[in-house]
Amino acid sequence: MADLKYKVIVGLEIHVQLCTKSKMFCGCAVEFGAEPNSRVCPVCLGMPGVLPVMNKQAFEYAVMVGLALNCRIPMFTKWDRKSYYYPDLPKNYQISQYDLPLSENGYIEIPLESSQTKRIGIIRAHLEEDAGKNLHATGNFSQVDLNRTGTPLLEIVTEPDMNSGAEVRALAVELQRMVRFLGVSEADMQKGHMRFEPNINLIITRGDGEFRTPITEIKNLNSFRALERSVNYEAQRQLDEFIETGIVMEMGNKTTRGWDDEKEVTVLQREKEEAHDYRYFPDPDLVPVELTQQWLDEIKSRLCELPLKKQMRYVQEYCLSDYDAGVLTADRSTADFFDEAVKAGGEPKRLCNLITQTGLKITKEKNCSINDLSVTPQSLADLAKMVEDSIISAGSAATIFEAMVETGKEPDVLAQELNLIQKSDAGELEKIVDTVLMENPQAVEDVTSGGKKEKKAMGFLLGQVMQKTKGQANPKVVSEILAKKLG
Amino acid sequence: MARRIDQQQVRKVAKLSRLDLTDHELEEFTSQLGAILEYVEKMNKLNTDNVEPLAHCLPVSNVFREDCVKESIGTERALANAPERDESFFKVPKILDDGSGA
Ligand SMILES: [Zn+2]
């Protein structure tokens, strides 16, 4: 077995819940945590004789994602029924899209380690309605809550272009950041706004040829951690199985597995034969959607600079580290705030430090967005400029930033009030320097006589001046005065 | 003429639709469905080379609603027709596999 090599092949299906106020085909509110079966009406309950009407916002959100995924957006798209018998889907079919999805043939760039990116193909992205929730009560019955039924879901299907659990995770994280930037989904994992189904197999090369293991699909993963771990587990399991049995991929031997979060293993799910005979056909209750160029252009105009592109721009244009650029672009409000502050004249690196080291610490404590801090990008840019101009020290800037959040006052006002303005007035500083020189004849001696101790003594004298001014002296100016007096 | 559909296929379609047919019904529906398919078969004689596939029978598109919340009917009315309920939930026979479709 020494010459055995293998490659993991993973494609991903992702369901993303769009953040419309109302459901896809009726006016019921989309609301997490409401009383069970309180956000339902005859349409989403699947009563006979009702007529669904498409939510325009959901369609436009879906097109925005399609565009962001570099997909082709056909001008004509339609709705199909997917037959499915399940108590959480009271109509016995799901409204979805089959042969004419609203977007196809795109790609997404995902960040890999060391600032590299990888392009993953997108086969299609289409809209469909979500099902309700089954709760497994004790005893011989299940409980059904139909509040979620009819919530707009975007299903995104990638090409099998990923080759590790880490890559699959990177795609999922990038997609989350993207839909949040676009403002089309909260993408809150805890609320099930993103669900993943990876398809995995291996290409194994051995002395006697190349083999493909049977594909397995892991159902309903709803955390990045479970996604990554289940893919890694499944790859190893397939390798072990192949070595033991030699079973290879053939028609009809694809299986479905579930993920046991506690034991961290995948478990075979037995499914009835014929379970996937969906018998799609066009939904006669819903008319097709025809885009015009003007409408498409209007939707396009709502796109923004996407997070990965922004992150790379920060690294290239502003020389920020990849890590810092990633922190700034983790959510749209922070990135927008940073962009505005740079536009207002702040030095990017300085702003980045203020935002990532102080701003985000505060927003985390307060559990809010940077926009909620009553500090404008202009004020933060002013603060950054005060450091650049040596009016305040970098350390004081953090203190002033915190005070700005507390008081809503401008940085120059606070610098005065908190007595944090660096003393740069040469006359005043000269007097203090003279006092220090008088009090420390030994250090003065060490400096003037030159030699080994000079540098250390100079540092000591500078430190004494800073101490006397409670850190408010501009160190650059003090150094100049010291050099002049002792030189 | 060959039969368009046999009992085996009707049994499969019935099963997919969760219909429990008697032997008599099976026979009856097989011949009825066969007659329908035979009728539809006539369409295949037409030359459709230059006809666009039809996605919908109405010459209408783009019927939308704005994203506005309307009042729902409330839990009590939603559950009024349910054969069984468990507090605010519909109560159904235990669902064995967990692979919901959506
Ligand atoms: Zn409804």
Side-chain angles (χ1 to χ4, degrees):
Chain A
M1 290 297 161
D3 59 342
L4 183 147
K5 283 201 194 100
Y6 72 97
K7 191 172 177 187
V8 186
I9 310 290
V10 193
L12 195 57
E13 252 179 55
I14 310 119
H15 285 96
V16 180
Q17 180 176 325
L18 301 177
C19 60
T20 53
K21 297 191 225 30
S22 65
K23 293 187 180 179
M24 192 145 122
F25 298 112
C26 64
C28 290
V30 175
E31 193 181 326
F32 184 82
E35 191 201 347
N37 297 303
S38 63
R39 300 293 179 270
V40 290
C41 73
V43 173
C44 54
L45 284 171
M47 296 291 177
V50 295
L51 206 57
V53 185
M54 179 68 207
N55 183 333
K56 193 175 185 184
Q57 182 83 84
F59 180 76
E60 293 181 336
Y61 278 173
V63 172
M64 283 171 74
V65 179
L67 288 167
L69 293 172
N70 307 291
C71 285
R72 188 181 81 81
I73 311 290
M75 300 308 259
F76 184 95
T77 184
K78 72 169 172 71
W79 310 100
D80 299 282
R81 291 184 178 182
K82 179 181 179 180
S83 305
Y84 211 93
Y85 294 86
Y86 222 70
D88 59 11
L89 215 55
K91 293 196 297 292
N92 287 345
Y93 61 84
Q94 179 189 29
I95 302 174
S96 181
Q97 300 197 282
Y98 182 53
D99 55 338
L100 298 173
L102 60 83
S103 59
E104 56 192 7
N105 296 333
Y107 62 86
I108 181 173
E109 300 280 353
I110 61 166
L112 301 180
E113 290 195 7
S114 59
S115 302
Q116 300 289 302
T117 64
K118 179 173 176 180
R119 181 173 289 194
I120 308 294
I122 302 290
I123 296 173
R124 59 188 277 161
H126 72 251
L127 258 180
E128 60 185 35
E129 55 176 348
D130 204 351
K133 262 186 199 159
N134 299 314
L135 292 102
H136 302 288
T138 48
N140 218 12
F141 62 91
S142 294
Q143 298 171 320
V144 182
D145 173 10
L146 297 178
N147 281 350
R148 201 178 65 183
T149 311
T151 300
L153 278 189
L154 191 66
E155 178 176 314
I156 300 165
V157 186
T158 79
E159 295 280 1
D161 289 346
M162 286 158 282
N163 303 111
S164 68
E167 285 186 14
V168 178
R169 183 196 183 104
L171 183 134
V173 172
E174 192 53 37
L175 191 67
Q176 180 191 47
R177 186 160 74 142
M178 177 190 281
V179 294
R180 284 179 171 171
F181 258 67
L182 293 172
V184 301
S185 174
E186 291 171 35
D188 185 335
M189 313 295 286
Q190 254 89 47
K191 293 179 182 167
H193 291 170
M194 282 182 97
R195 277 121 62 190
F196 308 99
E197 287 170 2
N199 274 264
I200 305 152
N201 76 334
L202 308 178
I203 300 178
I204 297 172
T205 34
R206 206 168 54 178
D208 54 341
E210 186 181 278
F211 307 89
R212 286 166 189 262
T213 57
I215 297 175
T216 54
E217 176 171 340
I218 309 173
K219 298 296 266 185
N220 265 321
L221 299 164
N222 49 20
S223 75
F224 296 136
R225 184 188 142 98
L227 178 61
E228 182 174 8
R229 293 194 175 206
S230 65
V231 168
N232 289 341
Y233 175 87
E234 188 56 24
Q236 186 60 47
R237 192 198 63 78
Q238 289 190 12
L239 182 64
D240 295 345
E241 186 181 74
F242 175 80
I243 291 167
E244 203 184 303
T245 67
I247 290 172
V248 294
M249 180 170 88
E250 42 187 271
M251 275 294 282
N253 74 347
K254 177 177 165 176
T255 52
T256 303
R257 301 180 76 89
W259 175 245
D260 185 325
D261 223 1
E262 262 162 41
K263 293 187 194 140
E264 302 210 319
V265 295
T266 61
V267 186
L268 185 68
Q269 286 184 346
R270 301 219 169 266
E271 290 190 317
K272 289 188 197 114
E273 248 177 288
E274 302 165 337
H276 293 304
D277 199 338
Y278 295 129
R279 292 165 298 148
Y280 284 97
F281 68 97
D283 192 318
D285 286 346
L286 288 158
V287 297
V289 179
E290 285 183 84
L291 275 166
T292 59
Q293 193 56 49
Q294 191 191 359
W295 186 15
L296 188 57
D297 289 344
E298 196 277 308
I299 297 172
K300 232 179 240 174
S301 72
R302 291 186 230 166
L303 297 182
C304 55
E305 185 182 27
L306 294 172
L308 185 60
K309 219 173 155 192
K310 218 184 242 299
Q311 182 176 350
M312 285 158 70
R313 180 168 65 82
Y314 289 174
V315 172
Q316 279 160 12
E317 263 180 46
Y318 304 146
C319 299
L320 302 186
S321 70
D322 195 45
Y323 177 81
D324 280 344
V327 173
L328 287 175
T329 53
D331 70 272
R332 172 115 182 241
S333 54
T334 307
D336 283 353
F337 191 96
F338 173 74
D339 280 339
E340 288 295 311
V342 171
K343 232 185 269 170
E347 199 278 316
K349 181 76 193 158
R350 182 80 57 199
L351 286 169
C352 169
N353 289 343
L354 283 168
I355 292 174
T356 57
Q357 287 162 23
T358 308
L360 296 181
K361 193 184 80 193
I362 300 171
T363 56
K364 204 173 171 194
E365 280 163 14
K366 293 185 184 280
N367 193 23
C368 67
S369 137
I370 193 152
N371 292 317
D372 304 328
L373 292 184
S374 71
V375 173
T376 63
Q378 180 67 58
S379 309
L380 196 71
D382 292 344
L383 179 64
K385 266 185 277 182
M386 289 169 73
V387 184
E388 292 303 305
D389 297 344
S390 301
I391 296 168
I392 54 171
S393 70
S396 302
T399 312
I400 294 173
F401 191 1
E402 280 168 13
M404 286 163 75
V405 172
E406 290 311 313
T407 63
K409 291 182 185 170
E410 291 302 315
D412 52 340
V413 176
L414 285 164
Q416 295 277 4
E417 281 185 15
L418 299 171
N419 214 9
L420 290 173
I421 294 189
Q422 288 186 343
K423 292 195 169 60
S424 299
D425 173 11
E428 195 184 338
L429 285 176
E430 225 162 295
K431 279 181 214 153
I432 299 167
V433 170
D434 285 339
T435 317
V436 169
L437 295 183
M438 287 241 298
E439 288 170 5
N440 299 283
Q442 185 58 51
V444 173
E445 168 84 38
D446 287 344
V447 174
T448 46
S449 62
K452 272 195 214 157
K453 291 181 178 172
E454 182 184 344
K455 221 176 157 187
K456 203 177 161 197
M458 195 70 160
F460 171 77
L461 291 170
L462 175 64
Q464 290 298 306
V465 177
M466 295 310 287
Q467 209 172 57
K468 277 216 185 313
T469 58
K470 299 196 177 71
Q472 287 162 28
N474 182 339
K476 223 172 103 192
V477 177
V478 177
S479 296
E480 279 165 18
I481 297 170
L482 278 170
K484 193 181 77 192
K485 287 195 183 288
L486 299 172
Chain B
M1 198 186 270
R3 299 195 61 164
R4 305 277 163 226
I5 190 165
D6 59 29
Q7 289 200 5
Q8 200 61 31
Q9 288 168 298
V10 175
R11 188 176 284 125
K12 185 187 169 190
V13 174
K15 193 180 168 196
L16 287 173
S17 304
R18 310 298 189 267
L19 294 173
D20 194 6
L21 302 185
T22 64
D23 287 351
H24 174 70
E25 283 168 330
L26 196 63
E27 208 169 299
E28 192 182 355
F29 293 148
T30 304
S31 82
Q32 283 180 357
L33 287 169
I36 292 167
L37 289 172
E38 206 167 298
Y39 178 73
V40 173
E41 185 75 5
K42 288 179 184 167
M43 301 285 240
N44 284 340
K45 294 197 181 102
L46 292 172
N47 183 337
T48 55
D49 289 351
N50 295 313
V51 180
E52 284 277 310
L54 192 68
H56 199 276
C57 59
L58 296 176
V60 180
S61 61
N62 299 359
V63 176
F64 289 108
R65 39 176 281 275
E66 293 304 314
D67 183 25
C68 296
V69 172
K70 283 192 180 154
E71 202 162 341
S72 299
I73 60 171
T75 304
E76 284 312 307
R77 288 173 70 197
L79 292 169
N81 287 327
E84 278 193 278
R85 63 183 284 182
D86 184 33
E87 293 176 0
S88 298
F89 295 96
F90 291 92
K91 183 174 171 181
V92 300
K94 196 167 187 77
I95 298 154
L96 290 175
D97 85 73
D98 206 20
S100 174

